[in-house]
Amino acid sequence: MTTPQLGLSTSILTLILLSALPRCESQQAGQPNIVLILADDLGWNDVGFHGSNQIPTPNLDALAYNGIIFNSHYTQSTCTPSRTALLTGKYPMRLGMHGTPLNPAQVEGLPEGKLLPEYLKELGYETHLVGKWHLGYARWNNTPTYRGFDHHLGYYTGYVSYYDYLNTFRVDEKDYTGYDLRRDTEVAWDLAGQYATDVFTDHAVKTIENHALTKPLFLMVSHLAVHAGNDGKLLEAPQETINKFRHIQDSNRRTYAAMVSKLDDSVGSIVSALQAKGLLENTILVFASDNGAPTVGQYSNWGSNYPLRGIKATLFEGGIRGVAFAWSPLFVQSGRVSADLIHISDWLPTLFTAAGGDIGLLDPDLDGVDQWSSLQYDLPSPRNDILINIDEITRNAALRFYNWKLIVGTTWNGTYDSYFGESGKENIEEQVYNSTRVFDSPAGKAIRQVSYTSLTEAEYEALRRQATLRCLNAKAKRNPCDPSNGEVCLYDVPSDPCEENNLASFLPSVVRRMKRALVDYRSGLTPQISGKVDIEKDDPKLFQFAWNPWLDCSDSTCAAA
């Protein structure tokens, strides 16, 4: 007897049967999982997709190429202000958080107001923070689990060392050292001796593995990497990873490269865990650095912002033009390099909209712009200007307006306004970029499982060329600008990303218009927080040698557990 022909191939029949299977509630509701990975002090030139061959970053590159590379993603110039903008959707100067980063034992913290995790909790999300907070901890109400995160494994201060989780802070020529690592509010003493990047990665992976599929996930992984640690052990990484970078002769740069490599491995592990859990096909992943690398100076990490001018804490592009990309199967148009303006404050309204929120329910005073439609469909960005900062104490300011950038004043009398690590190739043997390694990376393999349009190695190379910045050619006119001498600097950034040709004297009307805009912004400024340190009451000796909230401590129950 002959079997009847059904007219359907086995593969088509399989797809029909799979489509009939039940899906988890969060998928039915259409709410995407959101994974936000924040690097600390990562340099522009320290990822492969910006054209560097020094430090292989195959997982980051695979996600960037298959997503959207942001070549004009702006941040604040230091840690606390960038995190303020990210979680509030506001320019830090509106909240008094635009000055120097918070110190241990500092009384002030992020002012009251709804944060990104709180908005997402109202939409049904489970919210997790892994890693750095750096927005205040004087009272328990200043800490992450009281500001919208269901759970937190990480540290409250600006940095710790990578193995012992100590932060040493000098006050009046006296050092105060405390342990700073928490599970929610309890001190995580048991994790001392384990490498921080691995600890945060393992916890993020376990969070994904244990996540209940009935709720969408918001996971923010705010890495210590690649921020420098305490004096005497600024840079730390496992020796077996450092040994992979023998082509870099400078020992500090070699260790930094190992730290970046561990960060890249972390991203690969997180993406693989999302794929194994079945979450990746409905996930938005955003990766960004909080500011540029401090190549030299305080807390230097030997990162490279080449070919950009300036470093962390400056208003030049090397300080505030951050490494960033987004990846998601939900993007209709991906595999592209975007030159559109985007600011770190934009992620609150953008992710809230992507999560199904009504933009009308957000704080009407947000500075962040909803970019979700622009990202999803490759539409023009709704943003045409960015207030980079106004600092009433250092008396400097900067503004992007369409293609123009205006800088008035400087930081540290212009000490770090030059070009550092210019070639990025000193004492480094020439390396060849390995696109096959990118294609076969854990992240590359995972995203091919959920994408119908994953790119080829040849397409990787084309996108890499697009994402590589180039300075003015040798014959182009250059008119240097030194703001420390009182000069006003005006640059056409798309054509002069390295800020070599000051156009202020040629375009006085543009300068006047942008100065007027700065004056308008200045009217909304809240004076900087005082920076008051209460070290006598937050001396780690009082809390079993841990940094601890102290203003609510009326008895021994507040001591570090």
Side-chain angles (χ1 to χ4, degrees):
M1 182 177 178
T2 304
T3 303
Q5 297 297 311
L6 298 179
L8 290 173
S9 71
T10 302
S11 59
I12 295 175
L13 182 59
T14 300
L15 287 173
I16 294 172
L17 292 173
L18 287 174
S19 67
L21 294 175
R23 305 179 72 187
C24 69
E25 292 179 22
S26 65
Q27 289 175 322
Q28 289 176 336
Q31 290 178 288
N33 305 292
I34 298 171
V35 178
L36 178 56
I37 303 176
L38 204 61
D40 201 338
D41 290 4
L42 180 65
W44 181 269
N45 191 45
D46 297 326
V47 292
F49 63 85
H50 277 159
S52 175
N53 294 346
Q54 300 169 30
I55 308 172
T57 52
N59 293 288
L60 293 173
D61 293 4
L63 290 161
Y65 295 143
N66 286 281
I68 306 168
I69 298 171
F70 302 118
N71 256 24
S72 297
H73 184 276
Y74 284 87
T75 67
Q76 304 306 122
S77 64
T78 56
C79 311
T80 296
S82 279
R83 284 163 171 75
T84 297
L86 173 67
L87 293 180
T88 66
K90 297 181 179 181
Y91 292 137
M93 66 102 185
R94 299 196 189 280
L95 302 168
M97 300 289 285
H98 54 297
T100 56
L102 296 180
N103 287 312
Q106 189 161 332
V107 174
E108 302 97 345
L110 188 63
E112 293 183 2
K114 193 177 290 186
L115 305 184
L116 175 59
E118 295 175 284
Y119 280 114
L120 293 178
K121 277 177 69 70
E122 291 180 351
L123 297 178
Y125 278 74
E126 185 176 300
T127 59
H128 296 261
L129 173 63
V130 181
K132 181 172 177 173
W133 175 239
H134 206 190
L135 292 170
Y137 68 94
R139 299 184 185 276
W140 289 113
N141 284 341
N142 296 136
T143 60
T145 53
Y146 291 81
R147 299 301 301 266
F149 288 103
D150 293 320
H151 296 287
H152 173 226
L153 176 80
Y155 56 105
Y156 293 158
T157 59
Y159 65 89
V160 291
S161 292
Y162 281 76
Y163 285 99
D164 60 23
Y165 301 98
L166 298 178
N167 179 301
T168 298
F169 178 49
R170 172 157 287 198
V171 181
D172 296 330
E173 299 186 357
K174 180 180 178 181
D175 287 339
Y176 296 82
T177 298
Y179 189 83
D180 189 14
L181 189 64
R182 302 265 170 172
R183 284 191 188 88
D184 296 332
T185 59
E186 300 295 320
V187 181
W189 301 105
D190 58 300
L191 295 175
Q194 300 179 47
Y195 190 64
T197 304
D198 291 338
V199 166
F200 297 146
T201 302
D202 292 345
H203 186 78
V205 168
K206 289 176 183 175
T207 298
I208 293 166
E209 292 173 345
N210 296 330
H211 179 66
L213 297 178
T214 55
K215 299 184 74 174
L217 172 67
F218 172 55
L219 173 62
M220 180 174 170
V221 184
S222 183
H223 270 293
L224 170 62
V226 283
H227 197 291
N230 293 290
D231 287 343
K233 46 185 174 181
L234 289 173
L235 308 181
E236 296 181 284
Q239 189 61 47
E240 61 269 22
T241 308
I242 297 173
N243 292 341
K244 296 177 182 178
F245 294 93
R246 292 192 176 95
H247 61 280
I248 301 175
Q249 296 178 30
D250 183 281
S251 61
N252 290 309
R253 177 70 178 172
R254 189 186 316 137
T255 302
Y256 175 80
M259 293 160 66
V260 174
S261 182
K262 292 294 289 183
L263 174 65
D264 182 77
D265 290 343
S266 172
V267 173
S269 296
I270 290 169
V271 172
S272 296
L274 289 166
Q275 194 273 328
K277 184 71 173 181
L279 299 177
L280 192 60
E281 64 184 13
N282 190 30
T283 288
I284 301 166
L285 187 147
V286 177
F287 178 91
S289 179
D290 61 345
N291 44 250
T295 309
V296 296
Q298 189 177 31
Y299 303 122
S300 59
N301 66 359
W302 283 262
S304 171
N305 301 311
Y306 173 80
L308 301 176
R309 182 179 180 181
I311 61 173
K312 174 183 178 178
T314 73
L315 298 180
F316 286 101
E317 297 290 279
I320 45 84
R321 187 168 181 167
V323 176
F325 64 80
W327 174 90
S328 178
L330 305 179
F331 295 152
V332 176
Q333 297 291 331
S334 58
R336 56 190 173 92
V337 178
S338 172
D340 288 347
L341 292 181
I342 184 168
H343 186 253
I344 193 168
S345 64
D346 295 345
W347 289 113
L348 189 151
T350 299
L351 295 175
F352 181 76
T353 297
D358 179 355
I359 198 74
L361 299 177
L362 294 177
D363 184 339
D365 293 327
L366 292 188
D367 297 298
V369 174
D370 177 12
Q371 303 253 17
W372 180 239
S373 294
S374 302
L375 302 185
Q376 195 172 18
Y377 301 111
D378 193 14
L379 299 174
S381 170
R383 182 182 277 284
N384 53 40
D385 74 308
I386 293 173
L387 175 65
I388 295 169
N389 200 28
I390 297 176
D391 191 311
E392 76 279 20
I393 294 178
T394 59
R395 302 179 68 82
N396 64 17
L399 175 73
R400 268 294 303 261
F401 181 70
Y402 289 94
N403 57 309
W404 303 110
K405 179 182 175 185
L406 184 75
I407 300 177
V408 180
T410 186
T411 308
W412 294 318
N413 296 316
T415 303
Y416 302 118
D417 285 350
S418 188
Y419 299 85
F420 300 91
E422 291 171 73
S423 74
K425 295 180 180 179
E426 298 87 352
N427 299 318
I428 296 175
E429 296 176 14
E430 188 64 32
Q431 301 294 297
V432 177
Y433 188 70
N434 189 341
S435 57
T436 300
R437 184 175 177 183
V438 175
F439 190 81
D440 291 333
S441 66
K445 291 177 179 178
I447 60 180
R448 284 200 297 278
Q449 297 296 315
V450 299
S451 175
Y452 297 108
T453 58
S454 57
L455 303 185
T456 65
E457 293 181 40
E459 290 171 311
Y460 288 175
E461 295 284 0
L463 287 167
R464 188 171 189 251
R465 287 191 293 272
Q466 292 180 40
T468 299
L469 295 179
R470 292 170 178 81
C471 299
L472 297 174
N473 64 52
K475 296 181 179 180
K477 183 178 180 181
R478 287 167 171 79
N479 185 29
C481 181
D482 183 359
S484 66
N485 289 334
E487 292 183 75
V488 173
C489 306
L490 178 71
Y491 300 106
D492 182 353
V493 175
S495 63
D496 181 20
C498 305
E499 296 171 300
E500 298 176 284
N501 189 29
N502 181 22
L503 300 173
S505 61
F506 303 102
L507 297 165
S509 62
V510 176
V511 173
R512 286 194 299 271
R513 182 175 181 181
M514 294 183 73
K515 281 187 172 181
R516 285 197 298 269
L518 285 174
V519 170
D520 290 341
Y521 275 120
R522 180 73 164 76
S523 65
L525 182 144
T526 297
Q528 288 179 37
I529 58 178
S530 69
K532 179 183 177 182
V533 171
D534 194 7
I535 194 63
E536 291 185 3
K537 293 182 180 178
D538 192 35
D539 187 335
K541 292 179 181 178
L542 302 174
F543 303 103
Q544 299 178 26
F545 293 92
W547 294 107
N548 200 79
W550 71 98
L551 291 181
D552 295 328
C553 293
S554 58
D555 55 47
S556 61
T557 59
C558 197

